[in-house]
Structures are given as C-alpha cells and as structure tokens.
Amino acid sequence: MAMTVHCDIVSAENEIFSGLIEFVSVTGSLGDLGVYPGHAPLLTELKPGPVELRKQGGEQDIFYISGGFFEVQPHKVIILADTALHAGDLNEAAAQEAQKHAEQAMANRTSEFEYSKAATQLAEAAAQLRTLQEIRKKLGR
Amino acid sequence: MAVGKEIKTKIASVQSTRKITSAMEMVAASKMRKAQDRMESSRPYARSIRGVIQHLAGSNPEYKHLYMQERETKRVGFIVVATDRGLCGGLNVNAFKAAVKSMKEFHDQNIEIDICSLGSKSATFFKNYGGNVVAAKTHLGDAPEVADLIGAVKVVLDAYDEGKLDKVFIVSNEFVNTMTQSPNIEQVLPLKAEDDDERLNHHWDYLYEPDARELLNGLLVRYVESLVYQAVVENNACEQAARMLAMKNATDNAGDMINELEMIYNKARQAAITQEISEIVSGAAAV
C-alpha cells in the first residue's frame, strides 16, 4: 500500500477536505509543486489555481483555490486557502464571463487601483478555467 | 370599582415587558444558532493557521520575523472585543473586568497601554473608564467579515512594526457552551511557541518559497487577522447565548412578578368586597 500523509484544506469559511492522501500538487508562487509523503518542511504562498489530490486508494480529486498558504511537514500537509471550492462546483460560463470582463477592464483602465483589481480577477478567472481543463483531462468529466 | 387601579396598570406594564423579553429570547436563540455555525465553520482555518504558526515559532528559522522576536516591554496593546448591544447579562462586564485586571498588572510595572476596541460597548466602556484608545471599530453586526476588522488590526500591527507596541493581547469571550462563556486573554504578538509535538523536537527549518521575509509577512498578518476574526465571531456567538439566557431569566422573573401582583390585586379586591358587605350589613342592622 502506498504511503500516505494527512492533508487538510481549509478556507476562511470552512473546511474543504481532511483526510489521507498519497500525493498533492498545487500552484506555488514559483510554479507548480508536487508533494509526496515524507516531504521536507516547506512553507510557500499559493497562487490561484487547481489543487490536485490523489487520495488513499488512488482516487483523484481536484479543488480550486484562489490563493493562500501551503505548509508541508513530513507527517502533515496544510493548505490555508483564501477561498476554496470543490472543482466540480466551478462554473465554466461564469469563469469565462469573468475573464472577459477583467480583460475589458484592463484594456480601458482608469486608475492604478482598478488595474490591479482587474489583474487579480483575470488571474483568478484564468486559474478557474485552468482547473476545469485539468479536470477534463484527468478525470474525463 | 376603582380598587387596585395602580396594581392593574402595573400588571399590564410587566406583561408587556414580558412579551418583549420573551420575543428577544426567541430572536437571540435563532441568531445564536447561526452565530454558532459561523464560529464552527471558521474554526478549522483558525486551528490550522495556528498550527502552522506554532510550528514556525518552534522552528529555528534562518530569518526571524519581527513578530517572532521578544523585546523589552515598554508599551502593550490590548484588542478588546465586546458586543455592539447590551442586554446580554454580565458578558461584557466580565471581559472588561479581566482586561482591566491584566492592564493594572502592566500599569503597576510602569508599562503603558494602548487599546483597540472592537464593538460599541467596548468603545463606550473605555471612553468612560479612560485609557488610550488608538483604534475602534463599532457596528460589526451579526455576521462580521474579515474586511471589517482589517483597518483596526492594521493600526495595531503598524504600531507594533514601528516599535510603539512590544506586546499585543486580545481580550474576548470564549464560548464554552450555551450556558457558560468565559473571558479569555490571549497573547497575539510576539508569537509564543507552545509546540509540544515531539516529532519536531529537533533543529529544523522550513524551505521557504519564494523567500522567508516576504512569505512570513503575508502569513503572519493573515494569522493575526484570523485570530481577531475568530475572536469576534466567537464573541458574537457568546453574545447571543448570553442574551438568550438573560432574556429567559427576565421573562421568568416577569412571570413571577405578575403572579405576585395578581395575588395582591385579588386580595385587595376581596378586602374591598368584604368591607362593602359589612357596611351594608351594619347599615341594615342600624335601620
């Protein structure tokens, strides 16, 4: 049986996942990052993007988070998400809409503040779409 | 018959008071359930981030963030969380008592105190009691949001960054159960290591991505915000529970009072009737 590590995914609103996993991959601030059980202690910031889990027994699961922090201990993995969703709850049409909206806002920007807000929105929408593509590819849903 | 008119008025007034208190009890009961749900649902995050911070405080980092350094205490900050509205029993008073007691200890050591008050009652209390209030946020409502608190928290954190504050505490009520809430004082900054996890009892440090400074800045601010948010949400659940209990007692007391007053009224009425009869009888006897 494959080695497992306990993983918690929590957002400010609630607990999204808690259980044993064999492998997790997240979008770190320096790029994608995969963690197996027994990983060295690591602390990183997360960018908006998918979180892929391989649960005990080999079942795949994908979540979407809008950024947060990621702590790895050899015996435990914690994802502190700003907001987290089960990827199945993502709405593709809404994400596309948001992306278009954010792109428009960036094209005719009025002030610096709005620009950064739009950039964040765009990054989030793009990450949501990326998560959905990931699901299609991996889970064939 | 004009007997006991005052008593009748009094009974009517107590009855309407009872109606109000029992309505408030029911409102508090339903709000409490929601407040409790909110408290429960934000708990996992608070617990996890606290765990991470504990690990961090117990590690031997290459970079010691400002929030992890103990320094000589000259001035401390208190974040005092209270309710926006009254009529919730001794909830606020108990928290204030605990806060004032702890403040006095610092005061005796010639350590100055800054206060950040969250909730109207806290602001009013420190206005009357005195104390250097540096930040205040009132009207948090039944569903406080992190965004509402960031401003007040930032004032305290900035003061800490600039070295104006050397320690920060948070005072709030802990929700033990529906019947019991107890005031609680917790040190927020600098971080205290209480890690008794034996698997980590050796010299170790994290790998940081991208770099420790930037990362810890973000994480620790988030930690403090989460701590304050959790305290506010928990205090809100306490408020509703305490109000429910206070209003239940008030309703019961009003019921007792009505019973007593009715007894007095009936006695007075009886006495008046008896007197009237005896007057008639004695009048008839005299004829």
Side-chain angles (χ1 to χ4, degrees), chain B residues 208-251:
Chain B
Y208 298 98
E209 252 182 61
D211 78 358
R213 232 176 86 92
E214 220 172 286
L215 183 67
L216 291 183
N217 257 334
L219 182 64
L220 292 172
V221 170
R222 183 62 55 83
Y223 166 67
V224 174
E225 282 166 11
S226 135
L227 212 60
V228 175
Y229 176 70
Q230 182 66 21
V232 169
V233 174
E234 191 155 340
N235 200 68
N236 195 277
C238 288
E239 174 188 352
Q240 303 304 346
R243 176 164 305 130
M244 191 181 79
L245 205 65
M247 288 303 116
K248 189 175 165 16
N249 287 338
T251 311

Side-chain angles (χ1 to χ4, degrees), chain B residues 91-131:
Chain B
L91 188 76
N92 288 327
V93 178
N94 288 343
F96 295 148
K97 260 190 207 157
V100 167
K101 193 169 161 237
S102 156
M103 283 174 193
K104 193 173 177 317
E105 277 166 28
F106 283 110
H107 191 75
D108 290 344
Q109 298 169 38
N110 282 326
I111 295 170
E112 289 177 83
I113 293 156
D114 278 352
I115 296 159
C116 165
S117 64
L118 298 175
S120 309
K121 288 288 159 189
S122 177
T124 329
F125 176 78
F126 286 108
K127 204 188 270 170
N128 294 332
Y129 178 77

Side-chain angles (χ1 to χ4, degrees), chain A residues 41-68:
Chain A
L42 174 121
L43 203 54
T44 185
E45 218 177 321
L46 294 180
K47 287 205 288 200
V51 173
E52 281 178 60
L53 299 178
R54 192 161 73 233
K55 290 193 262 192
Q56 192 177 26
E59 196 193 331
Q60 291 264 5
D61 215 344
I62 298 182
F63 297 90
Y64 165 77
I65 64 162
S66 68

Side-chain angles (χ1 to χ4, degrees), chain A residues 8 10-15 28-31 33 39-45 67-69 71-76 78-82, chain B residues 38 40-45 47-49 51-52 55-56 146 197 199-200 204-210 214-216 218-220 222 229:
Chain A
D8 282 334
V10 293
S11 77
E13 287 88 33
N14 49 17
E15 189 167 42
S29 53
L30 297 182
L33 172 78
H39 195 284
L42 174 121
L43 203 54
T44 185
E45 218 177 321
F69 295 95
E71 190 215 15
V72 182
Q73 292 285 351
H75 59 276
K76 190 163 194 185
I78 298 175
I79 296 173
L80 298 163
D82 296 341
Chain B
R38 243 185 318 267
E40 294 296 341
S41 63
S42 67
R43 244 183 201 163
Y45 189 87
R47 199 177 47 226
S48 298
I49 198 162
V52 173
H55 289 163
L56 196 63
V146 181
D197 195 339
R199 283 170 290 195
L200 297 170
W204 66 281
D205 189 16
Y206 282 108
L207 303 165
Y208 298 98
E209 252 182 61
E214 220 172 286
L215 183 67
L216 291 183
L219 182 64
L220 292 172
R222 183 62 55 83
Y229 176 70

